[in-house]
Amino acid sequence: MAPHNTRTHITTHILWIFSSLLFLSTSLPTEPSPSAPVDPTTACHVTPDPTFCRSILPPGGSHSLYSYGRFSLAESLSSAYRILTFIDRYLSDNTASQLSPTAIGALRDCRLLSALNVNFLTSTISALNNSTDALVDTTTETVQTLLSALLTNHQTCCDGLQAAAPSWSAQTGIAAPMFNSSRLYSVSLALFTKAWNPECRGGRYRGGFTPPRVRNPPPGRRHGRTLLFHELKRRLGRRLLQAGESTGVVLIADMVTVSQDGSENYATIGAAVAAAPTNLDGSTGYYLIYVVAGVYQEYVSIPSNKRYLMMVGDGINQTVITGNRSVGDRWTTFSSATFAVLGRGFVGVGMTIRNTAGATKGQAAALRNGADLSTFYSCSIEGYQDTLYVHSMRQFFRECDVYGTIDFIFGNAAVVFQNCNIYARLPLWGQGNTITAQARSDPNQNTGTSMQGCRFVAAPELAAAQGLVRTFLGRPWQAYSRTVIMQSFMDKLIDPRGWTPWSGNFGLSTLYYAEYKNNGPGSGTSGRVTWPGYHDIISSGDASNFTASSFILGDNWLPQTGVAYSSGLL
């Protein structure tokens, strides 16, 4: 199937992938102990680009992988600052006005992503400098998540600039520094991964949704907050509160209400988010924003400093957040989202998030999520092409509905979907559907898409087309694309081949696609693709690596959300 998506790969990135594949095809010496002194050549053998690695490590002498890792991270931080400074300078330059609105939008995306990268690297270096070489598993996993997102942010910036302003990239000379930064970030991730290798974790089942409870309201506010909470309980209903008695409570530090009629604290969601406290650490509970039923025509952004927010609506099709930005109307894919999240620990419950641009406008995201340890429960995410942008970091979706056509669950997060309904819609004439487009671009990224206990079915308008549209489980947006679908129901809409290429043979030997104990008329694997990276039969042990407890360390953070989850295999 010919690609329908207009996202493109920059030539330099393809060349880098080629060199990585060439490196991986050769035999390597035994990897050194992370604490043993080794020369730079030996240290660089653990990276995808040994030649570039040797060019940035200090020549001569011997150091441990720990030391080389810290050195490369310091170099990466300097590079991230240079990129951010360049973008800032150009956005403030009068010549920026000569660019198209889409190009300006791509630069602004890069500005946001580059600032995040500076923060990610600063946090990583601080974590390593304030500890011994041996890190606890959770810290190791967090740092690897940050460094994986570092590469993803940078790739998003590169792709956006290449699509929107290719001539500008060439004229300003930004292409070469961007390419070198990409290689540097990859080296840093590889050295970190080899030196601080995380161990495997097991898991167990947890279930139910725990009702929020106000914890120790300040004097003088207890009565009003208690009344608000009882109203919240009444509106949420028993379906969401069924496990509160057995699993404890969700701690709520404070709570506000949004209602369009002006009768509550705020009339818009954006105003409530803007007034929320910054940099909460979650220890005293969530800041809860309750959104009364209504159709909210606004673009909601949860910035990175708005942490541990919980947003609860009155239910799917009751609390509706809607917008219509699209690439067809000169927005970037990244900035087209109706609802965008960056703040760590976000929880969204009982909402519909829509992009109504339609199938004719191309990429148009409803939800873009780049928030670490974020959760969506009982939400509906609706669009056509590129509906749900699971951009980066660790994410969890439970009992959600996702509607779309082309690549409608895409991105490079480490994300687990459980008990979700995946609805393929009717695309434009001549197009087919691809459900996932996972974007893992580096073999050391801890990212991928895992779908467990889900239902893959046709939306009513597609069902009425009577099999005239081919629907595939996914295709590789980047070379190391990783998607696992297990213990799920696949209706007859799924094409017997299951998966489709992005372009030619790109990524077919380096991707990891797997299916495990699925059922339904579309789940048979006898007619599936025969790519080197596709696995039609995997063991329960391999499948367990993609469960909530193992893949996103869910046992460490999902219980505090109150959202139901299965820790291991069903």
Side-chain angles (χ1 to χ4, degrees), residues 36 40 94 181 191 292 298 307 346 383 397 414 461 495 538:
N94 290 332
S181 291
L191 290 173
V292 174
E298 57 178 301
R307 300 183 175 188
F346 179 83
F397 291 78
E461 69 271 20
D495 189 274
I538 59 174

Side-chain angles (χ1 to χ4, degrees), residues 2-219:
H4 304 301
N5 200 304
T6 57
R7 289 191 299 269
T8 58
H9 303 281
I10 59 174
T11 302
T12 51
H13 182 66
I14 294 175
L15 293 174
W16 177 79
I17 290 294
F18 176 78
S19 67
S20 299
L21 299 182
L22 182 64
F23 161 71
L24 292 173
S25 67
T26 61
S27 59
L28 297 177
T30 303
E31 293 180 6
S33 164
S35 59
V38 294
D39 60 74
T41 298
T42 303
C44 288
H45 274 304
V46 304
T47 70
D49 193 342
T51 301
F52 179 78
C53 174
R54 289 193 298 271
S55 73
I56 60 120
L57 293 186
S62 295
H63 304 278
S64 69
L65 282 181
Y66 293 126
S67 296
Y68 287 127
R70 289 185 172 96
F71 179 86
S72 68
L73 286 168
E75 291 293 299
S76 292
L77 180 58
S78 296
S79 179
Y81 270 121
R82 285 194 295 272
I83 296 295
L84 178 59
T85 299
F86 184 95
I87 297 297
D88 276 341
R89 184 170 64 247
Y90 203 86
L91 279 173
S92 63
D93 195 310
N94 290 332
T95 57
S97 61
Q98 302 172 11
L99 294 174
S100 69
T102 305
I104 293 296
L107 279 170
R108 288 172 178 161
D109 293 347
C110 281
R111 204 281 166 203
L112 171 63
L113 294 163
S114 298
L116 287 173
N117 281 351
V118 168
N119 291 337
F120 290 170
L121 285 163
T122 301
S123 297
T124 293
I125 291 170
S126 177
L128 298 185
N129 288 343
N130 293 330
S131 66
T132 60
D133 289 337
L135 301 175
V136 296
D137 285 349
T138 52
T139 302
T140 300
E141 188 73 12
T142 296
V143 170
Q144 191 172 11
T145 296
L146 291 173
L147 295 180
S148 296
L150 171 77
L151 268 171
T152 301
N153 288 347
H154 190 74
Q155 186 67 50
T156 302
C157 174
C158 289
D159 287 347
L161 289 177
Q162 177 65 16
S167 60
W168 175 85
S169 298
Q171 293 169 3
T172 59
I174 189 63
M178 293 289 280
F179 176 52
N180 286 334
S181 291
S182 181
R183 294 195 292 175
L184 178 56
Y185 299 159
S186 179
V187 166
S188 294
L189 175 60
L191 290 173
F192 173 84
T193 301
K194 301 305 178 184
W196 290 271
N197 190 26
E199 298 178 357
C200 296
R201 274 81 45 173
R204 60 190 184 279
Y205 175 78
R206 298 288 184 92
F209 179 86
T210 306
R213 182 184 71 180
V214 177
R215 180 184 182 184
N216 299 327

